[in-house]
Amino acid sequence: MNENQQQNNIYDNLAKLGSHLTEMGNELAALKSQLNVALAKNAELTIENRHLQEAIKKLRDQHGEQQLSTGRRTLNELYHQGFHVCRKHFGERLAPHESCIFCDEAIFSGMDEQSGRQE
């Protein structure tokens, strides 16, 4: 190979490398954009979850456990011990700090808000 061909080969390789670096930069920018969208959605869901937890706590405080029947109190105790009491996941372990709206419904459904009695 003569010297001129080597220089052209080096230049072509540098051009290819530059092209690949540009593509990688574009891919990196796209990934950063996707990550920002995912982080924003995560923050939104975290806030929504916190508001729902507060609403559930208010409902529990309004109804009070003393107004529950014996069976529902038992379900509530199991739920607070870390077990699902809903039909979908009955008996399965809750993840740490997990709550289940279906379990809350199973425990507190049918409560009359005005008198505190079951319907």
Side-chain angles (χ1 to χ4, degrees):
M1 212 187 260
N2 68 29
E3 192 174 313
N4 194 23
Q5 287 178 330
Q6 285 181 330
Q7 287 177 350
N8 285 340
N9 194 19
I10 291 172
Y11 182 75
D12 290 342
N13 287 338
L14 283 175
K16 286 180 187 177
L17 181 60
S19 175
H20 289 295
L21 288 174
T22 301
E23 287 179 34
M24 289 175 64
N26 291 338
E27 288 180 31
L28 181 61
L31 286 173
K32 283 182 181 180
S33 177
Q34 291 174 0
L35 179 61
N36 286 335
V37 169
L39 290 174
K41 185 67 173 176
N42 185 41
E44 179 183 325
L45 291 173
T46 299
I47 292 168
E48 182 179 355
N49 187 32
R50 189 176 330 123
H51 288 137
L52 289 172
Q53 291 296 330
E54 290 170 3
I56 289 170
K57 185 178 182 329
K58 283 181 185 177
L59 285 174
R60 283 181 179 161
D61 292 345
Q62 286 175 356
H63 290 297
E65 289 185 26
Q66 68 278 7
Q67 297 173 349
L68 296 174
S69 68
T70 304
R72 290 182 190 263
R73 272 195 299 260
T74 303
L75 289 176
N76 197 26
E77 288 174 23
L78 286 170
Y79 180 68
H80 287 293
Q81 290 173 8
F83 295 95
H84 279 280
V85 294
C86 61
R87 290 180 185 217
K88 186 173 183 178
H89 302 288
F90 187 82
E92 293 178 17
R93 270 258 184 227
L94 288 158
H97 307 292
E98 177 187 14
S99 61
C100 176
I101 192 113
F102 301 113
C103 289
D104 284 330
E105 183 179 349
I107 297 166
F108 295 106
S109 67
M111 297 294 292
D112 184 326
E113 291 184 10
Q114 295 171 350
S115 68
R117 295 182 156 172
Q118 291 188 347
E119 295 175 336

